[in-house]
Amino acid sequence: MGSSECHVAVLAFPFGTHAAPLLSLVEKLSAAFPSARFSFFSNHDSNSTLFGDRNPGAGKIKAYDVGDGTVAGEASVIHEEFIMAMPGNYQTAIAEAEAEMGTKFGCFLTDAFLWFGGDLAAERGGVPWIALWTAGACSVSAHLYTDFVRSLVGANPNGNGLEQKLKVIPGMSEVSIGEMPGEILAKDLQASFPGMIYNMALKLPGANAVVLNSFQKLDPTITDDLRSKLQKVFNIGPMILRPPGTPKPPISDDHNCIPWLDSLPPASPAVYLSFGSALTPPPDEIVGLAEALEAKRAPFLWSLKPHGVKHLPKGFLERTKEFGKIVSWAPQVQVLSHPRVGAFVTHCGWNSILEAISFGVCMICRPFYGDQQINTRFVESVWEIGVKVEGGIFTKDETMKVLSVVLDSDRGKLLKENVVKLKGEALEAVKPNGSSTKDFQELVRLLNDSF
């Protein structure tokens, strides 16, 4: 093997929305560090979706397929077979790439889920391991406190402790044990997915840096605590926001969402509903949502897959066609940045939260799994930029209540003021002298110094 000059191994977790932010980071790094090459390792479905006919980084980013036991066409579904095959499946692909190039990798940039990144770096003489956490500071902090949280649950074996607030964890005083990510409270921490996350929590302190798609002023107390536990923490987000003067990417809007929003009267704020690429509410909740939207008669744009549309009440589409639009996919960034949008009904995935903050839109939250519960608590009780549906389930009455809170009440005005303030701080963070820009420059410096 020859030198490792300026060649970075990028290891993606190929499910859900994990790989796309990592590729976005790599493209940004490639532009800032033009002498570097990046080899991007993910499974076939993920690479096909991300790369297609694109040539990211002007050819300096090359995709390599990682073998797995997944089924073609199910890239959004997490398969135990893939997790059980780690890290061997990545090691095989990495060895093939190194043999092809005749050089060893000089740095490993991985999704934080891939806890073995440090081991792979150590095998190559202790080159740097940089981990990207694709969610928020609150959830990665929660995972680092897994053993402590589980000890609190163990002290209340009857389950009475789940309502206990985690006041002793910095920045978590509003969060209850029951709102922690589900993997923390899993019965078996050795099961495939909880085991992967637990291993990550144990290994992350060994990473040379942990990168967050967030900004310093969003969670300063938690970020300071993370910096006491991890070697380096870089907040480089919101990655969706581009510095002034940066050309906007082309919009794909096959369903004419933006012209439809343009046509709405300014006095009637629209409700945008979307639950990410992998989630559809249960049939009874789709009915509850639909009944509330019809009764409220506020303009609405609803991104709902065909298998969800079939559960809408009979005649709903016809009765609401004057003020509602349902599409199978919407350009979410452009929708949330549209001045007509006044509320975002969401599952509270991290990307959706950051996008809502970046464009100053209040949220109505219905979390399902993973980090969505803790994200929701921060939206409602820490940042105060949205509300959770009472009981965590969409019914007609509860949905009507939260729509009225956000769109028509004094509390809704306060929520709007708070989210607009956070929007301003996010915009400041990505300016040339902003905190996220400086953290990104530090990340580039770390990468540059490793070669």
Side-chain angles (χ1 to χ4, degrees), residues 206-223:
N208 296 79
V210 176
V211 182
L212 305 179
N213 182 16
S214 188
F215 56 102
Q216 173 68 28
K217 287 194 174 181
L218 188 59
D219 291 305
T221 302
I222 293 177
T223 300

Side-chain angles (χ1 to χ4, degrees), residues 57-136:
K60 291 183 295 182
I61 305 170
K62 182 176 179 180
Y64 288 87
D65 290 347
V66 175
D68 58 31
T70 64
V71 179
E74 294 187 3
S76 65
V77 181
I78 296 175
H79 284 268
E80 284 195 13
E81 291 90 344
F82 186 90
I83 296 173
M84 297 298 288
M86 300 187 325
N89 51 354
Y90 285 91
Q91 290 172 315
T92 299
I94 289 166
E96 291 172 356
E98 286 181 329
E100 175 186 310
M101 298 174 298
T103 63
K104 289 186 177 182
F105 287 108
C107 179
F108 282 79
L109 171 60
T110 79
D111 188 296
F113 277 12
L114 305 182
W115 50 268
F116 47 86
D119 297 336
L120 297 174
E123 290 168 5
R124 286 152 181 81
V127 302
W129 171 35
I130 300 167
L132 172 66
W133 177 250
T134 60

Side-chain angles (χ1 to χ4, degrees), residues 308-319:
V309 172
K310 69 182 182 181
H311 297 296
L312 291 168
K314 188 175 182 180
F316 172 79
L317 294 174
E318 180 64 25
R319 293 192 301 272

Side-chain angles (χ1 to χ4, degrees), residues 12-92:
F13 186 69
F15 304 108
T17 55
H18 276 252
L22 183 59
L23 181 57
S24 295
L25 173 58
V26 171
E27 290 180 296
K28 193 173 178 182
L29 286 171
S30 180
F33 191 12
S35 63
R37 290 185 298 153
F38 299 85
S39 293
F40 193 92
F41 296 90
S42 194
N43 73 359
H44 176 77
D45 281 357
S46 171
N47 281 335
S48 297
T49 300
L50 287 175
F51 286 81
D53 296 327
R54 294 173 60 225
N55 187 21
K60 291 183 295 182
I61 305 170
K62 182 176 179 180
Y64 288 87
D65 290 347
V66 175
D68 58 31
T70 64
V71 179
E74 294 187 3
S76 65
V77 181
I78 296 175
H79 284 268
E80 284 195 13
E81 291 90 344
F82 186 90
I83 296 173
M84 297 298 288
M86 300 187 325
N89 51 354
Y90 285 91
Q91 290 172 315
T92 299

Side-chain angles (χ1 to χ4, degrees), residues 131-327:
L132 172 66
W133 177 250
T134 60
C138 58
S139 54
V140 72
S141 175
H143 288 298
L144 292 176
Y145 281 97
T146 293
D147 288 336
F148 173 70
V149 174
R150 290 176 70 87
S151 74
L152 296 178
V153 175
N156 292 274
N158 296 324
N160 300 327
L162 294 182
E163 299 303 316
Q164 179 182 343
K165 298 288 188 182
L166 292 163
K167 295 183 179 181
V168 295
I169 299 179
M172 297 281 193
S173 60
E174 296 293 332
V175 182
S176 67
I177 291 175
E179 292 168 331
M180 291 277 102
E183 298 79 32
I184 292 173
L185 304 175
K187 288 184 178 180
D188 181 8
L189 274 184
Q190 302 308 313
S192 61
F193 191 73
M196 177 182 70
I197 304 298
Y198 185 53
N199 278 327
M200 175 200 74
L202 296 175
K203 295 278 191 175
L204 273 186
N208 296 79
V210 176
V211 182
L212 305 179
N213 182 16
S214 188
F215 56 102
Q216 173 68 28
K217 287 194 174 181
L218 188 59
D219 291 305
T221 302
I222 293 177
T223 300
D224 288 346
D225 187 49
L226 288 174
R227 287 188 168 130
S228 74
K229 293 175 170 56
L230 304 172
Q231 293 188 36
K232 288 185 183 295
V233 176
F234 296 133
N235 277 305
I236 64 164
M239 287 167 61
I240 194 66
L241 290 178
R242 294 168 177 264
T246 304
K248 293 183 178 180
I251 299 174
S252 175
D253 187 15
D254 295 340
H255 301 291
N256 296 313
C257 298
I258 304 307
W260 184 82
L261 289 169
D262 289 340
S263 71
L264 297 176
S268 300
V271 180
Y272 170 58
L273 304 92
S274 177
F275 302 97
S277 58
L279 272 172
T280 300
D284 58 335
E285 294 191 53
I286 291 175
V287 171
L289 272 170
E291 290 175 344
L293 291 168
E294 184 174 355
K296 185 69 177 171
R297 295 192 68 81
F300 69 86
L301 173 63
W302 191 349
S303 178
L304 184 63
K305 301 289 191 298
H307 64 265
V309 172
K310 69 182 182 181
H311 297 296
L312 291 168
K314 188 175 182 180
F316 172 79
L317 294 174
E318 180 64 25
R319 293 192 301 272
T320 59
K321 66 181 181 181
E322 297 300 323
F323 59 93
K325 183 178 180 68
I326 291 184
V327 297

